[in-house]
Amino acid sequence: MTALRQRKGSKGKDTGPSIHNLKPECISEPTERFAAGGFSWWTILCLITGSIVGVSLGLMCCIYVATLHENDLWFSNIKEVEREISFRTECGLYYSYYKQMLKAPSIQQGLYELIHDNTTESKRTINILQRMNIYQEVFLSILYKILPIQAYLEPIYFYIYTVFALQTVYVIALFITSWLLSDSWLAGALAGVWYILNRVDTTRVEFTISLRENWSIPFFALQVAAITCYLKPHLKPIHQRMVLWLVFISTFCFCLTWQFNQFVLLVQALIIFTLDCLDFFTAEQVVSLYLMQVLSLLLVWLLQFCNSMILGSLVLSFTVSALFIKNFQTRLKTGSFVTRVGKLALHTLLVLILTFIINYSAKQILQLKSDEHIFKFIKAKFGFGATRDFDASLYLCEEAFGLLPLDTFERLAGTVLLYPYLCTLSVLFILLLLVALSNLSVSGSGQTCSESEERTFRMRPDIAYNLLHTVFFGLLAFSTMRMKYLWTGHMCAFAAFGVCGKEVWTLYLRVLHCNTKTTMRLIRYSVPIVILAFLYYKFWPRLMEEISELREFYDPDTVELMEWIRLKTPKRAVFAGSMQLLAGIKLCTGRVLTNHPHYEDQALRERTRQVYQIYAHQSAEEVHKVLSSVGADYIVLEDSICYERRHSRGCRLRDLLDLANGHIMDGSGENDPDLVPASHPRFCEAIKTDVPPYSTLFARVFKNKTFHVYKLKKPKKKKKADL
């Protein structure tokens, strides 16, 4: 396994009932003045200053994670094979296609090889551009060939620097979101600083560079910033159209770069649907945002050669259903409170029913099973599915797919992020409920809250959207730890808005009967400056110490394995083994694989389960038969899997295979009564005895402390008995 060892030598008073009676001033509200078309020299100065601060924070984050990556691996000083090994699991698989495109004699030939790929899955020719979201690798490889940078920038650095540069986009997007919500660029500065200081919980880009989420989440943050701008009151029509284009482009880039885009967009569609039902959005805003999602998904569907997983996605079924039902229920937002609640309940029921009808029909027509494992995992996670399903258990047993650990909140509280976030969230959520009740109590033709100046409680639609955004994605993060990266970044922007915005402070000051313009301005500027000063005093020395800690990549066993495969095996040799290792073998050696970590294909999942019988209780003949059927020439056995101790009993890979096969698990502990003892020893252990029938069917050709490589022998045909 990889080790990181220490490198040698390193060391106006409120007069009305509304919370928005404070009028904008150019000192603190430059974005609102900009949206309304008003300009002054002070407004321009604020915009320039805020822009410089935002870009500076983005670049600082980019340099920070790049430095951490270099210092953790000593990336600039290790061999090329070690650099490639550092792209673990599916990261190595994605990067291999960037490398493959660069090696192709021409761009056309490279694209042809991706569309007609026969090395990723043995005995199969698949379209990589259809199956996987790798257009970013294709684009970067073409860009690298076109730009005159080959002489002084290696391809691998061009790749990783691009990913790190997206962190700049991410921080700037959070900066803009918080600035738009609060009308103060100090909020953007606070959001950017919080994002950097909470790096452990906001990103993992420095050690999972080519993971799809590191490409897509920055575009998602940019989309949220664009939606926030689009929903701001008093935005001119021409500005609305420009911002909608940004929403479309960012949504498209997000969808194109991550296969799980449909589930994220589904959560966002539910947010839009909820706010539409509660009368926060106009009909035009709702339809526009839905259409941006639908058009982005359909364009990605075309670029991915009509990928059926997109057409069969829940989000597409939901948005089509919501638009269809909305078009026919024209008097949905009229009547008394009870009448409107009843209409909304019926509306929601009709949308959900139509969603499942469309989705079920689409999957039946398309024979879609690509995302079946995800729904199995969701059902099993919440106790509605079989816990012995191999695919679901693979996810359930990984820590990243478990509940959000409590120590996350300790870290967030340590950077003073959690407290203002919870205060802002609780106050605004109560206000949102009051506004929703107020909206539903007003009979009429669907006028929105922002248009009803006479109402007691009001909330801007951009604030309402971001409030539900953090609530919905917070719940998602609580349920699945890996999804926290969709939440914590926005959490920084939302908390910064609470500190610098008028909404929360207005309510507090009204309770204290000291709600004057002078007091408001003093608090809105002094509190964020004090927090920033405290964070600088407390964390700047720690950051300097962190980036001065030097380590280096150290994984000699894997390096030895890759070098042996590259030098001692045929170029078209087929390798079987764990998904994670095989991705590295493809990247480092270019050999053919039987299976790989991109799990969004039903046939591949079944093949992976069959190949993994090398770690189950199976006979030598059965394993040889399975491996021969997928065209394997070599198998790579890992002691870290065969004798795994990382997971507890019941979650080790060998236990999952035993349960799926109906066998009793190893070790002391309880077993379900219907499980039976296996009739054969565990293959990965028994093959090392080198006795028949193992020695008859397999020959060991490589061994080190971690890996054992066996070559499949062709079984001798039995001679027919003489008649």
Side-chain angles (χ1 to χ4, degrees):
M1 300 300 290
T2 303
L4 293 175
R5 62 183 183 185
Q6 196 73 20
R7 197 186 306 173
K8 293 180 180 180
S10 68
K11 201 231 144 248
K13 186 170 285 188
D14 188 15
T15 58
S18 170
I19 67 169
H20 289 293
N21 279 338
L22 292 177
K23 298 301 180 183
E25 300 177 22
C26 65
I27 294 177
S28 57
E29 289 83 16
T31 56
E32 193 165 315
R33 293 271 302 217
F34 177 78
F39 291 95
S40 69
W41 286 109
W42 184 250
T43 303
I44 295 173
L45 180 61
C46 288
L47 287 170
I48 293 174
T49 304
S51 301
I52 292 173
V53 173
V55 172
S56 299
L57 282 171
L59 292 173
M60 184 185 299
C61 180
C62 171
I63 295 170
Y64 175 50
V65 293
T67 303
L68 289 177
H69 176 260
E70 167 63 25
N71 290 353
D72 277 347
L73 301 174
W74 205 0
F75 200 74
S76 60
N77 198 61
I78 57 179
K79 297 186 294 185
E80 186 68 15
V81 65
E82 292 176 313
R83 291 176 178 176
E84 292 178 346
I85 291 172
S86 70
F87 288 89
R88 294 290 176 182
T89 65
E90 59 185 294
C91 297
L93 182 67
Y94 299 134
Y95 182 77
S96 71
Y97 298 118
Y98 170 74
K99 181 180 176 181
Q100 180 177 325
M101 279 291 294
L102 290 176
K103 285 187 173 182
S106 66
I107 294 174
Q108 293 80 2
Q109 181 63 26
L111 291 173
Y112 179 85
E113 291 174 357
L114 289 178
I115 296 172
H116 304 86
D117 181 273
N118 56 10
T119 62
T120 302
E121 296 177 18
S122 57
K123 289 191 171 183
R124 291 176 184 168
T125 298
I126 62 175
N127 186 342
I128 299 297
L129 293 179
Q130 180 189 53
R131 179 82 71 83
M132 305 182 194
N133 297 69
I134 63 156
Y135 269 100
Q136 50 268 51
E137 278 76 20
V138 173
F139 175 74
L140 276 191
S141 62
I142 295 173
L143 199 61
Y144 184 81
K145 285 186 173 184
I146 294 174
L147 295 176
I149 57 175
Q150 293 89 343
Y152 54 88
L153 187 64
E154 298 176 57
I156 196 167
Y157 276 107
F158 182 66
Y159 186 91
I160 65 174
Y161 286 165
T162 301
V163 179
F164 292 148
L166 284 176
Q167 289 296 298
T168 302
V169 176
Y170 195 176
V171 172
I172 291 175
L174 297 177
F175 188 99
I176 293 172
T177 300
S178 193
W179 189 357
L180 288 169
L181 290 171
S182 64
D183 293 315
S184 171
W185 62 260
L186 274 176
L190 192 55
V193 170
W194 267 331
Y195 178 85
I196 295 171
L197 294 182
N198 290 281
R199 173 188 55 82
V200 174
D201 296 300
T202 54
T203 183
R204 48 180 177 166
V205 66
E206 75 273 13
F207 60 90
T208 58
I209 293 175
S210 54
L211 210 61
R212 301 300 83 178
E213 66 187 46
N214 294 327
W215 287 93
S216 61
I217 292 181
F219 292 114
F220 186 59
L222 192 62
Q223 183 231 41
V224 172
I227 290 176
T228 302
C229 184
Y230 174 69
L231 295 175
K232 279 191 75 71
H234 314 303
L235 199 65
K236 289 186 175 182
I238 187 172
H239 293 155
Q240 286 184 335
R241 289 192 291 271
M242 291 171 59
V243 174
L244 268 180
W245 270 106
L246 181 57
V247 172
F248 170 71
I249 293 171
S250 54
T251 306
F252 166 71
C253 292
F254 168 71
C255 294
L256 190 65
T257 51
W258 197 14
Q259 69 269 28
F260 294 138
N261 60 72
Q262 55 169 299
F263 302 102
V264 179
L265 290 185
L266 176 62
V267 176
Q268 190 176 63
L270 291 173
I271 296 170
I272 298 170
F273 179 79
T274 303
L275 291 173
D276 178 34
C277 290
L278 298 179
D279 213 6
F280 283 89
F281 291 170
T282 65
E284 180 186 358
Q285 289 172 334
V286 174
V287 172
S288 297
L289 292 177
Y290 278 149
L291 287 178
M292 293 304 101
Q293 287 193 343
V294 172
L295 292 175
S296 299
L297 287 168
L298 291 179
L299 184 55
V300 172
W301 174 70
L302 289 174
L303 286 174
Q304 289 197 275
F305 295 82
C306 305
N307 187 326
S308 59
M309 190 172 172
I310 296 175
L311 282 187
S313 63
L314 268 176
V315 63
L316 202 57
S317 303
F318 179 82
T319 50
V320 170
S321 302
L323 287 170
F324 182 80
I325 298 296
K326 184 179 178 64
N327 184 58
F328 284 94
Q329 283 190 297
T330 54
R331 299 182 60 81
L332 178 65
K333 298 180 179 181
T334 59
S336 64
F337 176 80
V338 175
T339 303
R340 290 191 64 178
V341 170
K343 287 182 178 180
L344 287 178
L346 177 62
H347 175 70
T348 303
L349 183 63
L350 290 174
V351 170
L352 292 178
I353 291 175
L354 185 58
T355 296
F356 286 109
I357 290 175
I358 293 175
N359 191 255
Y360 179 80
S361 302
K363 289 187 174 181
Q364 292 299 312
I365 294 171
L366 299 171
Q367 294 294 302
L368 179 62
K369 296 183 179 180
S370 299
D371 56 357
E372 190 179 54
H373 64 301
I374 299 173
F375 294 103
K376 284 182 180 179
F377 159 71
I378 294 173
K379 288 192 294 184
K381 184 177 180 67
F382 295 103
F384 298 111
T387 54
R388 287 188 190 175
D389 182 83
F390 179 72
D391 298 326
S393 298
L394 276 179
Y395 287 98
L396 288 170
C397 286
E398 285 298 324
E399 184 182 3
F401 292 94
L403 299 176
L404 189 68
L406 294 179
D407 61 356
T408 304
F409 301 102
E410 296 178 10
R411 292 190 297 270
L412 296 175
T415 58
V416 203
L417 169 61
L418 186 63
Y419 306 117
Y421 174 78
L422 291 178
C423 291
T424 306
L425 179 65
S426 56
V427 170
L428 291 183
F429 191 75
I430 293 172
L431 180 62
L432 181 136
L433 294 179
L434 294 174
V435 174
L437 289 174
S438 176
N439 291 349
L440 295 177
S441 299
V442 178
S443 62
S445 57
Q447 64 177 154
T448 63
C449 177
S450 60
E451 296 168 342
S452 305
E453 298 294 336
E454 74 281 357
R455 298 186 191 179
T456 302
F457 300 104
R458 289 185 293 136
M459 178 177 280
R460 285 174 9 213
D462 56 331
I463 295 176
Y465 171 81
N466 279 274
L467 174 61
L468 283 197
H469 183 100
T470 195
V471 169
F472 277 54
F473 283 98
L475 294 174
L476 184 63
F478 271 93
S479 66
T480 308
M481 186 183 74
R482 185 175 178 180
M483 297 294 106
K484 73 176 181 179
Y485 300 106
L486 290 164
W487 174 55
T488 48
H490 185 267
M491 181 184 184
C492 298
F494 191 76
F497 149 65
V499 172
C500 301
K502 293 183 299 184
E503 284 67 26
V504 177
W505 288 120
T506 298
L507 294 174
Y508 287 152
L509 293 176
R510 284 178 62 190
V511 172
L512 298 174
H513 302 289
C514 57
N515 187 19
T516 64
K517 291 183 178 181
T518 304
T519 306
M520 174 67 69
R521 187 178 300 174
L522 178 64
I523 290 177
R524 289 183 63 204
Y525 289 120
S526 61
V527 173
I529 290 174
V530 169
I531 293 176
L532 286 170
F534 170 77
L535 294 175
Y536 176 83
Y537 173 78
K538 182 178 180 181
F539 290 100
W540 183 258
R542 297 187 188 181
L543 289 179
M544 293 299 100
E545 182 181 354
E546 185 180 21
I547 63 176
S548 64
E549 186 176 351
L550 305 177
R551 299 173 180 172
E552 69 176 306
F553 178 90
Y554 185 72
D555 192 358
D557 290 347
T558 306
V559 172
E560 183 184 12
L561 172 68
M562 298 302 175
E563 293 288 4
W564 179 85
I565 293 175
R566 185 175 63 84
L567 298 173
K568 301 294 184 179
T569 62
K571 291 185 177 181
R572 295 294 300 177
V574 180
F575 278 80
S578 69
M579 296 183 289
Q580 296 81 358
L581 180 64
L582 291 183
I585 290 176
K586 175 170 176 55
L587 171 58
C588 298
T589 70
R591 300 304 186 262
V592 184
L593 313 180
T594 56
N595 53 301
H596 54 81
H598 194 273
Y599 221 47
E600 281 64 56
D601 181 75
Q602 197 272 337
L604 176 67
R605 292 195 294 272
E606 178 59 28
R607 175 184 278 201
T608 298
R609 192 185 66 80
Q610 293 177 349
V611 170
Y612 273 13
Q613 297 303 311
I614 59 179
Y615 295 109
H617 289 281
Q618 294 289 357
S619 65
E621 294 82 1
E622 180 63 24
V623 172
H624 190 278
K625 178 183 176 182
V626 168
L627 295 177
S628 298
S629 67
V630 296
D633 299 312
Y634 298 87
I635 57 171
V636 185
L637 296 173
E638 302 169 64
D639 287 345
S640 59
I641 297 179
C642 191
Y643 307 104
E644 182 183 359
R645 296 180 181 179
R646 184 170 69 93
H647 291 103
S648 60
R649 184 176 184 269
C651 269
R652 299 168 298 190
L653 179 60
R654 62 179 187 267
D655 296 335
L656 302 183
L657 291 165
D658 290 341
L659 290 172
N661 294 336
H663 296 156
I664 291 175
M665 294 182 290
D666 292 345
S668 58
E670 296 182 358
N671 290 282
D672 291 340
D674 60 323
L675 298 177
V676 298
S679 56
H680 299 283
R682 193 169 301 282
F683 178 82
C684 63
E685 296 176 355
I687 193 175
K688 296 173 185 176
T689 61
D690 201 27
V691 297
Y694 301 98
S695 59
T696 307
L697 299 174
F698 303 92
R700 186 165 63 192
V701 292
F702 175 84
K703 173 187 176 183
N704 63 21
K705 291 185 295 183
T706 305
F707 304 104
H708 302 262
V709 181
Y710 291 85
K711 185 176 182 179
L712 275 69
K713 296 181 180 179
K714 293 183 179 180
K716 297 179 180 179
K717 296 181 180 180
K718 295 181 180 180
K719 295 181 179 179
K720 294 182 179 180
D722 294 331
L723 295 174

